């Protein structure tokens, strides 16, 4: 029987099965590869799924504990995984349908009116359905672009045009970069999990060979329990396939699609403060797996997740080990530039196709006037009292 009264701090039970030894070679001025401590599972719905599939299958084969309890935990874990993935997919589809689509529709109308006015009607029609999209002939350096035409736009039309995110490319690049970096961190976890479970974990013939006790628990008497610190020492091919289909692929696909939908929505947001708020709102979909885990998973199962580890591969001292810092910081930047485009290149974004980068310079004075504020909260000289002090009338 599995002990039910175990309350163990998982962090105190983490022991480096492979000590991190660094030894200098005698014949060359290099360091030997480090042997890394075992990697804990992520405390989220996907980490719970890995733990339940591997640990409970192992207990069933080894006849540890009540079989009904093992089947119930497997069933409830799969239920939670399906619920998490279903909610995420549903929210992504609804964000694209109701939120992103409306924002794209509105920003296309705003830019079409701007182009038609600023070029004096000298435009070419790029699309008529679902919205009319016209672009000025020759671009902002051509003969038809007239800056003075900006005054012919109404206040709302000026506001809509100057709030286009691409009109402030550096600000928008920064926000989009942070969002892409958030998604890349999730993708990196998928890559590391794929390497650890599918590539580095040896293939074994039986589920009974999947787990082994860490050395601090080997000397303990009695069978393994949820409090035993164990490491995944091998996986059957069928178990690897199940983990790949139900854990790695959904996590990677959801994150990748959310990255694209999020960039599309942020690009279509015609309010600078809402760009920040929308980026935060998108992250809650990404973190739903953590929310469900923290909200509904019982403490005993949390303990089982915290005490299950995966082997990590040793990392050689090389230029690539340090270059990976540059790689994982540059990858989001490359994505953002490729998506939003640069002058002369539209990029992958389909929100404002054939965007001509002709809004920023025109809107400089409008932005300055609209977002100007002095030290005393934006009151003008006429609102000042004696000695220049601001007067607030109740």
């Amino acid at each position: 029987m599995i002990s039910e009264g175990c309350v163990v701090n998982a962090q105190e039970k983490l022991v480096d099965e492979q000590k991190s030894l660094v030894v200098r070679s005698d014949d060359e001025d290099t360091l030997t590869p480090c042997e890394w401590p075992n990697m804990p599972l992520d405390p989220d719905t996907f980490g719970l799924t890995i733990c339940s599939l591997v640990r409970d299958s192992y207990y069933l084969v080894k006849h540890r504990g009540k079989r009904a309890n093992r089947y119930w935990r497997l069933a409830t874990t799969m239920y939670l995984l399906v619920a998490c993935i279903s909610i995420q997919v549903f929210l992504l589809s609804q964000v694209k349908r109701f939120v992103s689509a409306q924002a794209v529709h509105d920003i296309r109308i705003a830019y079409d009116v701007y182009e038609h006015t600023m070029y004096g009607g000298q435009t070419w029609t790029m699309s008529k359905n679902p919205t009319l999209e016209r672009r000025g002939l020759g671009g902002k350096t051509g003969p038809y672009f007239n800056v003075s035409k900006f005054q012919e736009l109404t206040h709302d039309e000026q506001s809509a045009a100057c709030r286009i995110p691409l009109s402030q490319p550096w600000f928008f690049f920064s926000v989009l970069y942070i969002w892409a970096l958030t998604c890349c961190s999730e993708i990196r976890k998928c890559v590391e999990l794929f390497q650890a479970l599918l590539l580095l974990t040896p293939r074994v013939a039986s589920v009974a060979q999947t787990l082994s006790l860490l050395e601090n628990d080997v000397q303990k008497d009695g069978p393994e329990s949820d409090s035993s610190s164990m490491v995944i020492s091998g996986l059957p091919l069928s178990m690897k396939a199940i983990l790949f289909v139900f854990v790695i692929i959904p996590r990677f696909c959801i994150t990748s699609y959310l990255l694209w939908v999020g960039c599309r929505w942020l690009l279509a947001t015609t309010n600078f403060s809402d760009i920040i708020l929308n980026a935060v709102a998108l992250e809650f979909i990404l973190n739903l797996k953590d929310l469900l885990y923290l909200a509904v998973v019982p403490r005993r199962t949390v303990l089982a997740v915290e005490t299950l580890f995966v082997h990590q591969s040793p990392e050689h001292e090389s230029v690539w080990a340090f270059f990976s810092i540059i790689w994982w910081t540059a990858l989001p930047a490359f994505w953002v530039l490729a998506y939003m485009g640069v002058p002369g290149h539209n990029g992958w974004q389909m929100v404002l196709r054939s965007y001509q980068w002709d809004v920023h310079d025109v809107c400089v004075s409008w932005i300055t006037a609209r977002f100007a504020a002095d030290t005393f909260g934006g009151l003008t000289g006429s609102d000042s009292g004696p000695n220049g002090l601001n007067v607030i009338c109740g």
Side-chain angles (χ1 to χ4, degrees):
M1 291 294 292
I2 296 178
S3 174
E4 297 290 342
C6 48
V7 180
V8 182
N9 190 329
Q11 295 300 325
E12 295 177 355
K13 294 189 68 62
L14 174 58
V15 176
D16 297 343
E17 185 185 39
Q18 301 170 336
K19 300 296 183 180
S20 299
L21 299 178
V22 181
V23 182
R24 186 170 296 278
S25 176
D26 295 333
D27 56 350
E28 57 180 345
D29 192 22
T30 58
L31 297 177
T32 59
C34 295
E35 295 181 349
W36 299 99
N38 297 310
M39 178 177 66
L41 295 174
D42 291 332
D44 56 26
T45 305
F46 294 108
L48 170 64
T49 303
I50 297 172
C51 174
S52 181
L53 286 173
V54 177
R55 198 158 198 160
D56 288 321
S57 298
Y58 174 82
Y59 287 159
L60 285 170
V61 173
K62 301 285 283 186
H63 304 288
R64 299 285 191 263
K66 294 182 179 180
R67 298 180 66 86
N69 293 341
R70 306 280 71 80
Y71 285 122
W72 269 110
R73 186 157 74 178
L74 278 168
T76 54
T77 297
M78 296 307 297
Y79 162 77
L80 191 63
L81 176 67
V82 172
C84 177
I85 295 176
S86 300
I87 295 174
Q88 286 181 312
V89 172
F90 175 76
L91 287 176
L92 285 173
S93 64
Q94 298 308 299
V95 166
K96 185 178 183 299
R97 179 184 179 186
F98 295 116
V99 182
S100 175
Q102 179 183 358
V104 170
H105 178 272
D106 294 342
I107 199 173
R108 285 176 176 174
I109 293 177
Y111 190 58
D112 170 76
V113 172
Y114 174 85
E115 290 288 287
H116 183 71
T117 303
M118 298 299 294
Y119 289 86
Q122 301 298 320
T123 59
W124 59 280
T125 302
M126 185 181 63
S127 174
K128 293 183 178 180
N129 188 33
T131 57
L132 179 62
E133 296 183 72
R134 294 167 292 185
R135 300 294 181 263
L137 295 174
K140 65 178 182 179
T141 59
Y144 303 113
F145 186 70
N146 189 349
V147 177
S148 62
K149 293 283 187 178
F150 184 72
Q151 302 303 323
E152 297 181 8
L153 296 170
T154 65
H155 175 76
D156 291 340
E157 292 170 345
Q158 290 179 353
S159 177
C162 292
R163 292 174 187 266
I164 292 175
L166 291 176
S167 68
Q168 302 298 322
W170 286 111
F171 168 73
F172 183 63
F173 174 88
S174 301
V175 176
L176 215 59
Y177 176 80
I178 295 174
W179 169 241
L181 189 65
T182 302
C183 294
C184 280
S185 67
E186 191 71 16
I187 292 175
R188 182 181 180 181
K189 290 181 181 179
C190 293
V191 173
E192 292 176 347
L193 205 58
F194 177 82
Q195 292 176 334
L197 292 177
L198 273 66
L199 300 182
L200 301 177
T201 302
R203 179 180 171 184
V204 295
S206 171
V207 176
Q209 301 171 294
T210 56
L211 296 179
S212 59
L213 285 170
L214 292 180
E215 59 185 32
N216 66 319
D217 279 347
V218 170
Q219 304 301 327
K220 292 184 177 181
D221 296 330
E224 305 94 338
S225 68
D226 282 343
S227 67
S228 302
S229 295
M230 307 184 76
V231 62
I232 301 176
S233 55
L235 288 172
L237 182 60
S238 58
M239 185 69 72
K240 289 189 176 185
I242 292 173
L243 293 176
F244 182 68
V245 172
F246 288 98
V247 175
I248 296 176
I249 287 183
R251 189 172 185 175
F252 178 82
C253 292
I254 288 173
T255 303
S256 301
Y257 187 71
L258 185 59
L259 172 62
W260 176 75
V261 170
C263 290
R264 182 177 175 87
W265 184 22
L266 295 176
L267 179 54
T269 302
T270 54
N271 190 306
F272 297 136
S273 60
D274 286 346
I275 293 177
I276 303 294
L277 297 177
N278 291 346
V280 175
L282 285 166
E283 191 175 2
F284 103 90
I285 301 179
L286 198 62
N287 293 335
L288 182 62
K289 56 182 176 43
D290 306 277
L291 176 62
L292 287 175
Y293 178 83
L294 295 174
V296 304
V297 176
R299 289 179 297 169
R300 183 181 180 86
T301 303
V302 170
L303 178 63
V305 175
E306 291 177 345
T307 53
L308 185 62
F309 303 91
V310 181
H311 281 305
Q312 294 190 83
S313 62
E315 183 177 275
H316 296 269
E317 185 188 35
S318 63
V319 174
W320 169 249
F322 306 106
F323 181 76
S324 62
I325 299 176
I326 301 176
W327 165 253
W328 286 109
T329 54
L331 182 62
F334 291 147
W335 161 263
V336 173
L337 289 176
Y339 181 82
M340 64 181 288
V342 295
H345 178 67
N346 183 72
W348 296 336
Q349 61 90 8
M350 300 299 289
V351 177
L352 293 176
R353 294 170 292 177
S354 298
Y355 181 75
Q356 305 201 82
W357 301 91
D358 51 2
V359 181
H360 175 76
D361 296 338
V362 177
C363 290
V364 168
S365 59
W366 187 92
I367 291 289
T368 302
R370 176 63 180 81
F371 295 99
D374 61 19
T375 307
F376 297 100
L379 295 177
T380 62
S382 60
D383 300 315
S384 301
N387 301 322
L389 297 177
N390 292 314
V391 178
I392 301 177
C393 299

